[in-house]
Structure formats: structure tokens, C-alpha cells
Amino acid sequence: MNTPHGPEQVPHDPRTEVSVRFALRSPARLKTELLAGLVVALALIPEAIAFSVIAGVDPRVGLFASVTMAITIAIVGGRPAMISAATAAVALVIAPVSEQYGVDHLIATVILGGIFQVLLSFLGVAKLMRFVPRSVMVGFVNSLAILVFVAQIPHLVDVPWMVYPLVAAGLLVLVFLPRITEAVPAPLVTIVLLTVVTVAFSLNVPDVADQGELPESLPSLFVPDVPMTFETLRILAPYALAMALVGLMESLMTAKLVDDITDTRSDKTREGWGQGIANIVTGFFGGMGGCAVVGQTMMNVKVSGARTRLSTLAAGVFLLILVVALGDIVGLVPMAALVAVMIMVSIVTIDWHSVHPRTLRLMPLSETVVMVVTVVATVSTGNLAIGVSLGVLTAMVLFARRVAHMTTVEKIADADTDGDGGVDTRTYRVTGELFWASSNDLVHQFDYIGDPENVVIDLTDADIWDASTVATFDAIQQKYAAKGKTVTIVGLDGASLERLRRLSGRLGGEN
């Protein structure tokens, strides 16, 4: 909860997160967490139904997935206050399974995908997050904001004209109410207020009930009826692995984003295997699986001010109550209210500083390119995982290109070691980080014909990082040997020297 002087200051446990124990002792924090969970639960309903349609399954499959994902991840996850539920990313990956083989195979895929996520997490996949540069994270945030906004457009096209003033009124409440009071989350006030207005004046506008049928019973245990054969594994494994990777990437990126927003750290490995366990549990309750829901997470953390697992747990519990016990009432909520809330989420999520003209002028061109590639790839595919992957790949290529141009070869001395007045030794100094990109043209930097009998290559100011560089020096030595000349490499120590000694002469033919 925010105060006029900034975010509410609350005690942190040793892992630098606001503890559930403190939330239970603090009435203000408890109210914030519970109301945030209620707002998230309301916002999850239409999205879960929409993702069920994408996956080609009954809306109940998506709704129950959101319930079980949220409740399970609240207990086993590594990032407090992050929301996990049915998502479009997972729905798109597993949709072909439902279409070709049916719901039982889809559920089996979800369970297998969860197992893969647990295994990948224990193998250290979370550590790969250190290789995601800041420019990709900024692109991820901006892409998220754009996707959240774009997802609202269908609810604003070919609709009754009253939808527009309702959305405008909702945005006004979301903007100005926090300036007056924060006793109740503005998103909840918006949803309740617009629902009351819609019902009181019998406005004919789309509501939650129009999005699909809500379940009338609790989820029950479900064991998919699939043949336990290698052929079944062969069919499902590619989809399950793709689901596992997409879900992990989106969840870990979202966890890092929440870390940055809350200035706290979270256990990414625990979050990874927690996602896997949540998907396994979800599968055995007949759900379609999922991962971190970025939009609802931002609503929970950035708009509503939630900080603990309690908000995530509350979201799952409230969602179950809303769709099973209060389905008729929830069905009256106008989509305009939820659209207004999600538009505000997109506005507060985007990193406006990153797109300010002054920032763009100061930022290195390569970093801006990486951000733009991430945004364009994500928005054009609708898949955050694809956008992040292409952004990281672009960053790697640009970094390699930049480092490659920092390598120099300089002739520093000629010497007469025989005392006959002639030059019989030439020394070159190589400076820079030598790897496959920077050492590729190194072989062309020496005068094989004009150099004397002895050539010294001084690598005091260089480092050898890979086998490609060792192969390049082998090629240089071979070229000099073909002219009857000898090469001595000096100045190396540590890992570079060990790498040269271990690989030199054992990598095949000349470059």
C-alpha cells in the first residue's frame, strides 16, 4: 500500500520479502493483500475463458487451471505476489494436442510439461537469467504493456456505444481515486461501481457471462486416459518440452520484473520447480496448465500494492468462489470495467523513461536496437518467450561484433639476435579478447612473406577464450612454417595458456 511519502515500509524477513506472518498481523497489509487477490480473480475470469478457446477446450478447463495454478504456486513458488494461471503462451503451444488427440492427451501433456519444468529447474535453467541484458528486460516490459493494451481492442470494436463512456469513467476512477484515498484498491472500486451502474440502468453492454459458461461444481481429480507407451511419449514430449520452456521463460522473466519493482530478491530455481509442481497439480485436476500471468501480476503488484504470497493464494481462492458459488453475480460484471483496469495496467507498466527522446539520444544504438527487436518480435508474434529469445540473440550478436572490433595487431619491434646487423626477429603485440568473432580475421594480420625467420607473438594484453582462436593460431604457425619460419607465442598465463597448450595442434587442419 502506498502512502503520500511512497510505498508503505514494512518489515522484511531474512529473504528480503514481506512475510505472510507480518501481513496476518497487520490489518492494513492484510486488507491490501486480500483485496488485491479479489481484483486479480475478477480479471482472470475472462482471460481464462479466452485462453480455453485458444486451446480448444471447455472454459471450465481454463478456469480450473487458473484456480489450481494460483493456489499451488502461492505455496511452492519462489516469487511472492506473482500470479500464475492459464496463459495464452501455454495455450498456443498445447492447442495442437487438443485438436489432434483430444483433451486427455492435452492433460497428459500438461503433466509431462510440469515434470520437465521440475527437471530443468534442478539442472540450473534459472541461472540462465543472468544472461538476459537490461535492454531485453526493458523490451520485455514495454512489449507486455503493448500486448495487454492490444488484448483489450476486441472488447472495444463493434460494441454498443455505451461501452466507451463506461471505459472512460473507469479510467477516471483509476487515475483520480488513488489521489483521494487508498483505503480500497481503485480497480475494485471501478469494477463494483461500473457493475452497479450497468445493472441499475439496465445497460445493454457485454459482460463476463457473454464470454463463456462458468462452472457449477468444484474441480475433481482427473487421470488422463492415454496409453502408457513409448509412442504416446514420442507424440507428447515435443509439445510438453515446448510448454515447459515457454512457461519457465515467461515465469522467470516476470519474477525478475517483480524483483525490480519491489526491490527484493526471489529464488528463481524454486520458482522454476514450483511452476512445474503447479502444472502437475493442475493437470491432475483437469486444468490446461499455465505459467506467470504478466498482466495480472502487474495489477497485483504495481496497481494494487500486493507483496506477499497471501495475495496469490487469495486470487486462487476468490476465483474458485466467484466462478462456482457466485457465477450469476460475476456474470453481471461489464467487460468495460475489466478493460479499463487492464488499460491502466498497460499504462503503468510501460517504461516511459526508456522511450523518452532524451533517453534514446543518450542510449548506445546497440541497446536501443535490442529493445526494439524484443518489442517488435513479441508484439508481432504475441509470444513473450519468442521476443525475449530474439532479443537475447540480438544482444549477443551485437556484443560479439562490438568486442570483435576492439582487437588489434601491432608490430612493436624488429631485432638482430645473431649480431650480424640484419633483422632476424619480428615481434607483434596482439591486444583484446580473442574468441570466434574477434580472431576470425587474425590470420590475415601478419606478413608471412616479408617477416624474418623468427616471429614472436606477444599476447600479454590478450586472452584466448575458445577453440576457434587456438585453431587460428595453429593456422598462423602453419603458414609461417610453410615459409620456413618459426613462431613463438609469449605472454599468456592462467586459463588462456592452459587452453592453448591443451588444444593447440589437436583441432584439425589449417583455417
Side-chain angles (χ1 to χ4, degrees):
M1 183 174 66
N2 292 335
T3 69
H5 302 289
E8 178 189 16
Q9 297 301 310
V10 293
H12 287 54
D13 68 13
R15 293 180 57 184
T16 66
E17 67 185 51
V18 180
S19 66
V20 175
R21 183 181 304 172
F22 173 77
L24 294 175
R25 292 202 309 263
S26 167
R29 173 52 54 183
L30 179 61
K31 181 187 69 175
T32 297
E33 300 297 315
L34 293 179
L35 291 181
L38 178 58
V39 172
V40 169
L42 288 167
L44 281 173
I45 294 173
E47 290 205 355
I49 295 173
F51 300 152
S52 299
V53 173
I54 293 174
V57 296
D58 188 279
R60 286 183 285 262
V61 177
L63 288 166
F64 286 156
S66 294
V67 169
T68 52
M69 285 291 297
I71 292 175
T72 307
I73 205 66
I75 299 169
V76 301
R79 174 61 259 178
M82 193 169 78
I83 305 297
S84 292
T87 60
V90 170
L92 287 169
V93 170
I94 63 177
V97 179
S98 174
E99 181 180 345
Q100 297 178 41
Y101 304 102
V103 174
D104 285 276
H105 281 73
L106 179 140
I107 300 302
T109 302
V110 170
I111 295 171
L112 182 59
I115 295 172
F116 281 153
Q117 287 180 324
V118 173
L119 293 175
L120 288 170
S121 298
F122 283 118
L123 289 174
V125 70
K127 296 178 181 178
L128 296 177
M129 285 301 298
R130 72 182 66 178
F131 298 108
V132 178
R134 180 186 177 279
S135 51
V136 173
M137 275 301 301
V138 172
F140 172 79
V141 171
N142 293 340
S143 301
L144 158 66
I146 294 171
L147 287 178
V148 169
F149 180 81
V150 169
Q152 311 316 309
I153 293 178
H155 301 295
L156 298 172
V157 177
D158 294 329
V159 294
W161 69 272
M162 274 303 301
V163 168
Y164 304 111
L166 286 174
V167 172
L171 288 172
L172 289 175
V173 173
L174 289 164
V175 170
F176 292 105
L177 181 61
R179 302 182 182 181
I180 300 172
T181 178
E182 293 186 345
V184 182
L188 182 59
V189 174
T190 301
I191 293 171
V192 172
L193 181 61
L194 294 190
T195 301
V196 170
V197 170
T198 300
V199 173
F201 292 94
S202 301
L203 300 180
N204 183 24
V205 294
D207 54 29
V208 171
D210 296 328
Q211 306 305 305
E213 183 182 358
L214 298 180
E216 298 178 352
S217 61
L218 295 172
S220 57
L221 283 174
F222 178 87
V223 179
D225 182 16
V226 297
M228 302 297 288
T229 63
F230 179 79
E231 179 64 16
T232 301
L233 180 63
R234 185 190 65 81
I235 293 172
L236 301 185
Y239 296 103
L241 182 59
M243 170 195 157
L245 292 173
V246 167
L248 282 176
M249 181 177 295
E250 193 152 334
S251 298
L252 294 176
M253 290 291 291
T254 305
K256 189 174 188 302
L257 177 59
V258 178
D259 287 354
D260 294 340
I261 292 172
T262 61
D263 287 328
T264 60
R265 296 180 62 185
S266 60
D267 188 337
K268 303 300 186 301
T269 297
R270 176 177 173 179
E271 182 60 43
W273 60 254
Q275 289 288 331
I277 291 175
N279 274 304
I280 294 171
V281 171
T282 295
F284 280 116
F285 276 95
M288 57 177 280
C291 61
V293 190
V294 196
Q296 273 69 23
T297 296
M298 291 299 98
M299 180 188 300
N300 194 47
V301 174
K302 204 163 188 179
V303 178
S304 298
R307 291 293 182 271
T308 77
R309 302 175 187 278
L310 187 59
S311 60
T312 307
L313 178 64
V317 173
F318 280 136
L319 179 58
L320 182 61
I321 295 172
L322 289 171
V323 300
V324 174
L326 303 175
D328 291 339
I329 298 176
V330 172
L332 299 175
V333 175
M335 288 303 299
L338 299 176
V339 168
V341 171
M342 296 310 292
I343 289 176
M344 180 56 64
V345 168
S346 69
I347 292 173
V348 301
T349 298
I350 195 168
D351 187 343
W352 294 104
H353 175 74
S354 70
V355 295
H356 192 283
R358 182 174 58 187
T359 304
L360 294 175
R361 286 195 302 269
L362 295 175
M363 192 68 63
L365 179 61
S366 59
E367 303 228 0
T368 302
V369 169
V370 170
M371 181 186 72
V372 171
V373 167
T374 304
V375 171
V376 171
T378 300
V379 173
S380 60
T381 63
N383 191 318
L384 288 165
I386 292 176
V388 170
S389 299
L390 290 178
V392 171
L393 180 61
T394 302
M396 290 171 59
V397 171
L398 292 177
F399 174 77
R401 183 176 181 273
R402 184 165 62 250
V403 173
H405 289 296
M406 297 174 64
T407 302
T408 61
V409 178
E410 177 188 6
K411 185 176 71 172
I412 60 171
D414 291 331
D416 174 15
T417 58
D418 294 336
D420 60 0
V423 173
D424 66 352
T425 301
R426 177 160 294 167
T427 301
Y428 291 90
R429 177 189 291 136
V430 180
T431 303
E433 304 303 313
L434 303 176
F435 63 110
W436 55 269
S438 59
S439 64
N440 192 43
D441 294 330
L442 200 63
V443 71
H444 305 298
Q445 304 299 311
F446 298 88
D447 185 1
Y448 301 101
I449 297 176
D451 281 346
E453 294 182 358
N454 301 304
V455 175
V456 176
I457 301 177
D458 185 356
L459 299 180
T460 302
D461 298 320
D463 292 293
I464 294 177
W465 289 103
D466 60 7
S468 295
T469 302
V470 176
T472 296
F473 281 113
D474 284 351
I476 292 171
Q477 290 177 310
Q478 291 168 11
K479 287 180 179 295
Y480 274 117
K483 302 292 189 295
K485 303 172 183 180
T486 61
V487 176
T488 304
I489 296 176
V490 300
L492 284 178
D493 57 14
S496 294
L497 179 59
E498 192 277 333
R499 193 171 290 119
L500 182 68
R501 286 175 173 172
R502 178 164 47 89
L503 298 177
S504 183
R506 298 179 175 86
L507 298 175
E510 180 176 316
N511 283 1

